[in-house]
Amino acid sequence: MDARSTASQSDRAVILLRELLLDGSCPAGTRLTELGLAPRLGVSRTPVRHALARLAHEGLLEELPRGGYRVRAFTVDEIWSAIELRGILEGSAARLAAERLTDATALAPLRRLLIELDHRLPRSLTDFVAYVQINDRFHREMWTLSGNRMLVATIEQVVRLPFAAPGALVFGDAEVAEARWTADLAQSQHQAIVEAIERREGARAEALAREHALIAWKNLQRALTNKALFARMPGAALVRVPFAV
Amino acid sequence: MDARSTASQSDRAVILLRELLLDGSCPAGTRLTELGLAPRLGVSRTPVRHALARLAHEGLLEELPRGGYRVRAFTVDEIWSAIELRGILEGSAARLAAERLTDATALAPLRRLLIELDHRLPRSLTDFVAYVQINDRFHREMWTLSGNRMLVATIEQVVRLPFAAPGALVFGDAEVAEARWTADLAQSQHQAIVEAIERREGARAEALAREHALIAWKNLQRALTNKALFARMPGAALVRVPFAV
DNA sequence: CACGTTCTGGATGTATACAAGTAGGTCGAT
DNA sequence: ATCGACCTACTTGTATACATCCAGAACGTG
């Protein structure tokens, strides 16, 4: 069922390389060459080339002018840009969903996910995995309700960056209390967004969804005050931080 | 100086294939194979493979589940989605530019382009080429002023679609009078946007820039009422139209 | 000692050979 | 005549050989 079982060498190379980047095996700034990577990924240059191009497109690598790639180093400013952009896009999606809602039955899937999120408010670390999954589906459903497929595709690309994803809510096994508080806030925003869409209050839906995205920003700021917490953040190795790593 | 002179085979393949798609040599729905394309583009499979992946990423091709690619057929709805999305993004860029303007000197490049546009309001067909170029630079400068690099990158990707580009103002050699009227309207909007940014009126700048994008939509609607005009639209071959081609 | 030139190492770009999987057609049997 | 199985042609996935280009170091010369 998982892609790994029947995956092509290219798919494997993409997955492996992405893991190498996110877990810090290749710190930001590292230059990556096809020939150097091929033995590490266990494939020949061709799939490596494919993987490099793909991850460059995702934004995790940057192409060097004279050939080759370098592991991207994200500044805090750039992460802010990504989160702000997600706010803009999800806000617009919520507004369009509100403006274009024709009958309330179209909201049924979103409502169902909202209820499911209510039942899954995380209490322990294992809860978080399921919670983030449902949260993801809730967001995707909202995007779809916008009725603008280009917008959906664009959001999907932005949230490929680990810092910008809707699931960038919480991380780490510590601070569960704080994480739960954050989830409660997020859930109240979810409810308000659905209500605004149902009432066709486009401006309100947009403002709420835009504000909702800022949770990721607050989490990042919190992580930046705590080295241990920061180290557990997905993709932390790619962030250029004020304090030394 | 032009990329063609020193371009790699891959770059040439991308450029050639894009032209084939836009000029109608490969109508929407055509299946494209690496082996079939290689002789037509005069390169081997490797650059063709690269070109196919790249144009699929641009949105002009779609990947088939069982391998291979198909030329994308755009519905009018999808084109509307792209134009609407550009409006959202450029509107946001204008708003951010207004909100973040610190000193008026930062607006100097935009002002200079505005004046240049004034002097280049198109009167003949040859004028249009220069006008569209300056218009493009004006828009790019506005995006940059947003201070959000992710936003800029996202807009750049959206406007790769020929229908969504800011230069999708006018097309064809006929209807010059109408095209000039459109350019006049666009220019008055440009002026209003710059003024709003200068006064830090973010909401106004956003509304104006969003409305500005709709010029492309009006042009499309006009083209849809006139077969001959439609045929001259860039990328017309990729559009699934109500009337038969 | 400094500067220029040359050489070498390594990187990507490109082409192609080979393998594997699939769809469609054709041939045979019932 | 119809249905099933086999086979063929075509396609992509992958690896690799070769060419080319650039950077950096080393060496020679002024």
Side-chain angles (χ1 to χ4, degrees):
Chain A
M1 172 178 260
D2 189 280
R4 276 157 226 253
S5 53
T6 59
S8 64
Q9 301 285 69
S10 288
D11 295 339
R12 251 203 302 278
V14 171
I15 292 170
L16 282 173
L17 183 53
R18 192 189 286 115
E19 278 175 11
L20 284 183
L21 295 174
L22 292 184
D23 74 10
S25 301
C26 300
T30 308
R31 178 154 184 236
L32 297 179
T33 67
E34 297 175 7
L35 227 55
L37 229 44
R40 285 183 76 174
L41 301 179
V43 295
S44 78
R45 272 181 62 206
T46 306
V48 170
R49 186 183 188 73
H50 191 137
L52 286 168
R54 177 118 167 222
L55 291 174
H57 167 230
E58 278 188 22
L60 262 44
L61 301 176
E62 53 189 351
E63 208 167 344
L64 294 174
R66 303 224 177 274
Y69 294 86
R70 186 170 44 193
V71 180
R72 179 82 181 274
F74 291 92
T75 63
V76 173
D77 257 9
E78 285 168 328
I79 298 179
W80 163 247
S81 291
I83 293 172
E84 180 178 62
L85 177 57
R86 176 162 71 87
I88 288 170
L89 294 171
E90 286 199 294
S92 298
R95 173 177 61 83
L96 293 177
E99 290 174 357
R100 291 173 184 172
L101 188 70
T102 51
D103 64 309
T105 65
L107 264 182
L110 199 65
R111 288 203 164 286
R112 211 170 43 236
L113 289 164
L114 190 66
I115 292 170
E116 203 166 346
L117 278 172
D118 259 331
H119 293 316
R120 302 242 191 179
L121 282 183
R123 269 184 288 264
S124 71
L125 177 62
T126 53
D127 291 347
F128 278 115
V129 182
Y131 176 77
V132 168
Q133 262 184 358
I134 308 290
N135 183 60
D136 221 70
R137 286 172 54 197
F138 176 87
H139 280 253
R140 274 175 203 283
E141 177 62 25
M142 184 181 75
W143 306 340
T144 305
L145 285 174
S146 75
N148 185 320
R149 291 173 61 186
M150 294 280 175
L151 177 58
V152 175
T154 302
I155 301 179
E156 275 173 348
Q157 185 176 328
V158 171
V159 300
R160 278 197 195 122
L161 286 179
F163 326 109
L169 276 176
V170 284
F171 39 81
D173 41 352
E175 319 273 355
V176 174
E178 185 126 25
R180 181 168 184 188
W181 185 86
T182 301
D184 285 345
L185 170 63
Q187 182 65 354
S188 75
Q189 290 176 333
H190 288 159
Q191 282 164 340
I193 290 169
V194 173
E195 182 183 287
I197 293 176
E198 187 180 22
R199 294 191 187 179
R200 304 191 193 168
E201 297 168 351
R204 180 181 169 213
E206 176 165 10
L208 285 165
R210 197 187 286 175
E211 189 70 21
H212 181 57
L214 294 192
I215 288 181
W217 177 242
K218 284 185 188 165
N219 279 324
L220 176 66
Q221 283 184 312
R222 190 157 59 88
L224 285 174
T225 65
N226 182 336
K227 269 195 200 181
L229 186 59
F230 177 78
R232 282 194 295 275
M233 188 176 78
L238 305 183
V239 183
R240 196 180 295 154
V241 286
F243 48 81
V245 184
Chain B
M1 173 177 254
D2 188 280
R4 275 157 228 253
S5 55
T6 58
S8 64
Q9 300 286 68
S10 287
D11 295 339
R12 251 204 302 279
V14 171
I15 291 170
L16 282 172
L17 182 53
R18 193 188 286 116
E19 277 175 11
L20 285 182
L21 295 174
L22 292 183
D23 73 10
S25 300
C26 301
T30 308
R31 177 156 184 237
L32 297 178
T33 66
E34 297 176 7
L35 224 55
L37 229 45
R40 285 183 75 174
L41 301 179
V43 296
S44 79
R45 274 182 59 206
T46 307
V48 171
R49 186 183 187 74
H50 191 137
L52 285 169
R54 176 119 168 220
L55 291 175
H57 166 231
E58 279 188 22
L60 263 42
L61 301 175
E62 52 189 352
E63 209 168 343
L64 293 175
R66 302 222 178 276
Y69 294 85
R70 187 170 44 194
V71 180
R72 179 82 181 275
F74 292 92
T75 63
V76 173
D77 258 9
E78 285 168 328
I79 298 179
W80 162 247
S81 292
I83 294 172
E84 181 178 61
L85 177 57
R86 176 162 71 89
I88 288 170
L89 294 171
E90 286 200 292
S92 299
R95 174 176 61 82
L96 293 176
E99 290 173 358
R100 290 172 185 174
L101 187 72
T102 51
D103 64 308
T105 65
L107 264 182
L110 199 65
R111 288 202 163 286
R112 212 170 43 236
L113 288 164
L114 189 66
I115 292 170
E116 204 166 346
L117 279 173
D118 258 330
H119 294 316
R120 302 242 192 179
L121 283 183
R123 268 184 288 264
S124 71
L125 177 62
T126 53
D127 290 347
F128 279 116
V129 181
Y131 176 77
V132 168
Q133 262 184 358
I134 308 290
N135 183 59
D136 220 71
R137 285 172 54 198
F138 176 88
H139 280 252
R140 275 175 202 283
E141 177 63 25
M142 185 181 75
W143 307 339
T144 305
L145 285 174
S146 76
N148 185 319
R149 291 172 62 184
M150 294 280 175
L151 176 59
V152 175
T154 302
I155 301 179
E156 274 173 349
Q157 185 176 327
V158 171
V159 300
R160 277 196 195 122
L161 285 179
F163 326 109
L169 275 176
V170 284
F171 39 82
D173 41 353
E175 319 273 354
V176 173
E178 185 127 24
R180 182 169 185 188
W181 185 86
T182 301
D184 285 344
L185 171 62
Q187 182 65 355
S188 75
Q189 290 176 332
H190 288 158
Q191 283 164 339
I193 290 169
V194 174
E195 183 184 288
I197 293 175
E198 187 179 23
R199 295 191 188 179
R200 304 191 194 170
E201 297 168 351
R204 180 181 169 213
E206 176 165 11
L208 284 166
R210 198 187 285 176
E211 190 70 20
H212 181 56
L214 293 192
I215 288 182
W217 177 242
K218 284 184 188 167
N219 279 323
L220 177 66
Q221 283 184 311
R222 191 158 58 89
L224 286 173
T225 64
N226 182 335
K227 269 194 197 180
L229 187 59
F230 177 79
R232 282 195 294 274
M233 188 176 80
L238 304 182
V239 183
R240 196 179 295 156
V241 286
F243 49 81
V245 185

